[in-house]
Amino acid sequence: MTHPNEVLTRIDLHSPIPEALTAEIERRLFFVSPEITGFEVTADGGEVRSVTLRSEQPLPHDALTEKVNSMVDNDVRKQWVTPAKAVWTSPHQRTPHQDLFELLARTGAVTEVGEGQVALAEPLLSLFTYFDRAVCDLLAEDHEVREYQYPTLIRTKALETAGYFKSFPQHLMFVTRLRNDLDVYRTFQKQQAVTGIDSTVLDSCGNVDYCLPPTMCYHTFNQYSNRTLEAGRLHVVTSRGKSFRFEAAYATSLERLWDFTIREMVFMGSREDVLDSRERFMRKVFAFVEELGLSGFCEVGNDPFFCGTDTSERIWSQRLMELKYELRLHVAPGRTIAVGSFNFHDDLFGKVFGIDHGTDGPTRSGCVGFGLERLVYAFLCQYGLDTAAWPTQVRTAVSGSRP
């Protein structure tokens, strides 16, 4: 629905692209310009020929035409159109509850405290603990696991080494501070009292040696950098922590957050051991989801690479080689969210971080990550707030975890 004061700007594509690539356009449009407040992608006859951008003020048409077409031509057009490949589908079909987030807000279980930021209360806290413990227990059935609690901040150099700058510049968040200079502090205090905080404060800031982490595994690879791991065994590390990805636009719910929590498991070892462990753990998770009676599926996925010179090629390679699987659960009729991913990196991070596996050269690695807020939210969308309707093992675990 268009707001009466919104301005609409139609952007024609240089040439049409297949309608099947609509989602790849949509996941990038908000990053084209900060003035874009919404959009519609127009498809006709199986092809996308234009997009309509919404904004509060008129947009520079020629400049936006160049930027939108540059994004489409570089990141989307070259992608091969392939149907999503499902590797597992739940035998259960559930009808998700409508307007769940609004119900949670009315009961005080969630509170929006900022853009893409939500405070959680019961029953979400107990469910949060339950799902986190459950996936960790599944991992421990087959592996000797070492758990770490990492600091929130991660060195900017670690993300640069991992190639994050090239792959996902749209998600980066740098951390800085005022320079440790008495004159800087005094000037800041005087200006802030008069004008408040604005972007000019950055002129008084120091370095950007640290970032907010986009996920936990970069902490692990940075921690193990320049080491030689014992050969003949799989090294498994897990951690849980806050992760941050700037998404440019946030809807009211727990589906897409700026500040969220990931439980991550990292596998390091031989190629065969890493792939085998990923597969076995993935099947255990599917069985767990089925046991809970949840509705969803797992399919081959790809990361949201953006603005690189080889974006389309990397996306196609990820899909073709099945380097990434996404576990998706229903949160509304016909709509799912990814609550977990199962990834294989081959020797990418072993090479760049200098992690060797015995005398076999760079270690192979894989990781599994669960978005805990999303996992809890999907469960509640499917089962609602009436604990009597919850699966027995969840109800028992949650009631036992509350004081």
Side-chain angles (χ1 to χ4, degrees):
M1 181 180 295
T2 303
H3 190 277
N5 295 325
E6 281 186 324
V7 178
L8 302 182
T9 304
R10 174 177 164 137
I11 304 294
D12 291 322
L13 302 186
H14 292 154
S15 59
I17 68 169
E19 184 179 0
L21 294 175
T22 296
E24 292 293 329
I25 299 177
E26 292 176 338
R27 71 196 306 187
R28 293 169 170 80
L29 272 176
F30 276 123
F31 293 108
V32 169
S33 171
E35 285 77 30
I36 298 173
T37 59
F39 56 80
E40 285 82 34
V41 178
T42 304
D44 180 37
E47 294 181 325
V48 175
R49 300 176 180 275
S50 67
V51 300
T52 300
L53 307 178
R54 298 201 299 269
S55 60
E56 295 179 355
Q57 301 294 331
L59 298 174
H61 187 272
D62 291 346
L64 260 296
T65 296
E66 190 281 327
K67 291 172 75 173
V68 168
N69 274 282
S70 175
M71 178 272 291
V72 170
D73 292 343
N74 183 73
D75 291 1
V76 180
R77 185 179 301 281
K78 299 174 186 177
Q79 293 186 36
W80 288 25
V81 178
T82 55
K85 177 182 176 181
V87 296
W88 168 83
T89 301
S90 172
H92 306 288
Q93 295 296 321
R94 302 190 62 84
T95 302
H97 292 252
Q98 299 294 312
D99 303 320
L100 180 81
F101 189 85
E102 289 75 9
L103 176 59
L104 291 170
R106 287 198 301 271
T107 62
V110 299
T111 305
E112 286 189 90
V113 294
E115 186 180 1
Q117 298 176 302
V118 177
L120 308 181
E122 292 292 0
L124 285 84
L125 294 179
S126 293
L127 286 170
F128 202 89
T129 300
Y130 166 74
F131 280 107
D132 184 40
R133 189 71 266 153
V135 295
C136 286
D137 288 346
L138 290 176
L139 183 70
E141 289 178 0
D142 292 329
H143 302 288
E144 179 182 337
V145 183
R146 189 151 205 179
E147 181 165 9
Y148 287 96
Q149 178 176 304
Y150 293 116
T152 296
L153 302 184
I154 189 168
R155 288 188 179 276
T156 302
K157 184 64 176 177
L159 294 185
E160 181 183 13
T161 299
Y164 202 83
F165 294 178
K166 178 183 179 181
S167 299
F168 313 108
Q170 73 275 28
H171 292 325
L172 280 169
M173 278 166 284
F174 296 99
V175 176
T176 189
R177 57 177 175 77
L178 294 174
R179 291 194 300 276
N180 51 319
D181 184 302
L182 183 59
D183 292 336
V184 170
Y185 300 148
R186 286 171 172 167
T187 301
F188 167 76
Q189 289 174 327
K190 290 178 182 178
Q191 291 180 342
Q192 185 274 331
V194 176
T195 63
I197 300 293
D198 58 27
S199 61
T200 60
V201 73
L202 295 177
D203 296 333
S204 300
C205 289
N207 58 53
V208 286
D209 290 343
Y210 290 88
C211 288
L212 294 176
T215 190
M216 290 292 99
C217 67
Y218 295 125
H219 280 296
T220 301
F221 294 124
N222 187 52
Q223 174 192 7
Y224 279 78
S225 61
N226 301 314
R227 294 193 194 181
T228 298
L229 303 179
E230 179 186 345
R233 62 181 287 251
L234 186 72
H235 300 260
V236 184
V237 175
T238 188
S239 61
R240 187 182 93 176
K242 283 293 189 177
S243 301
F244 306 82
R245 296 175 199 167
F246 181 68
E247 295 282 0
Y250 297 93
T252 301
S253 82
L254 294 176
E255 296 182 32
R256 192 163 294 282
L257 296 173
W258 190 342
D259 177 335
F260 58 100
T261 312
I262 286 183
R263 165 60 70 180
E264 191 126 23
M265 295 88 166
V266 176
F267 304 99
M268 294 179 286
S270 69
R271 189 177 195 275
E272 181 181 3
D273 285 346
V274 170
L275 285 172
D276 179 64
S277 295
R278 179 181 71 153
E279 179 68 20
R280 283 189 291 120
F281 183 58
M282 190 164 63
R283 296 297 166 183
K284 282 180 176 288
V285 172
F286 297 162
F288 170 67
V289 172
E290 288 187 23
E291 184 181 355
L292 294 184
L294 292 169
S295 173
F297 56 88
C298 184
E299 66 180 10
V300 176
N302 64 269
D303 288 312
F305 299 112
F306 186 68
C307 203
T309 57
D310 57 352
T311 291
S312 295
E313 291 82 355
R314 296 178 73 184
I315 289 175
W316 171 239
S317 176
Q318 239 186 355
R319 291 175 181 165
L320 179 66
M321 299 175 67
E322 298 189 12
L323 302 181
K324 183 183 186 71
Y325 298 112
E326 285 189 335
L327 174 62
R328 307 189 66 89
L329 298 180
H330 288 96
V331 294
R335 188 162 62 84
T336 62
I337 57 172
V339 301
S341 65
F342 308 84
N343 311 285
F344 178 59
H345 317 126
D346 205 358
D347 62 358
L348 171 63
F349 293 127
K351 282 182 176 179
V352 298
F353 283 98
I355 310 172
D356 287 335
H357 185 235
T359 59
D360 297 333
T363 189
R364 269 57 176 181
S365 67
C367 71
V368 176
F370 297 96
L372 294 177
E373 287 89 352
R374 285 186 170 195
L375 191 49
V376 168
Y377 184 66
F379 174 84
L380 290 174
C381 283
Q382 294 195 28
Y383 275 103
L385 297 183
D386 181 6
T387 57
W390 293 1
T392 302
Q393 65 265 46
V394 179
R395 187 170 63 251
T396 301
V398 167
S399 63
S401 66
R402 294 180 185 175

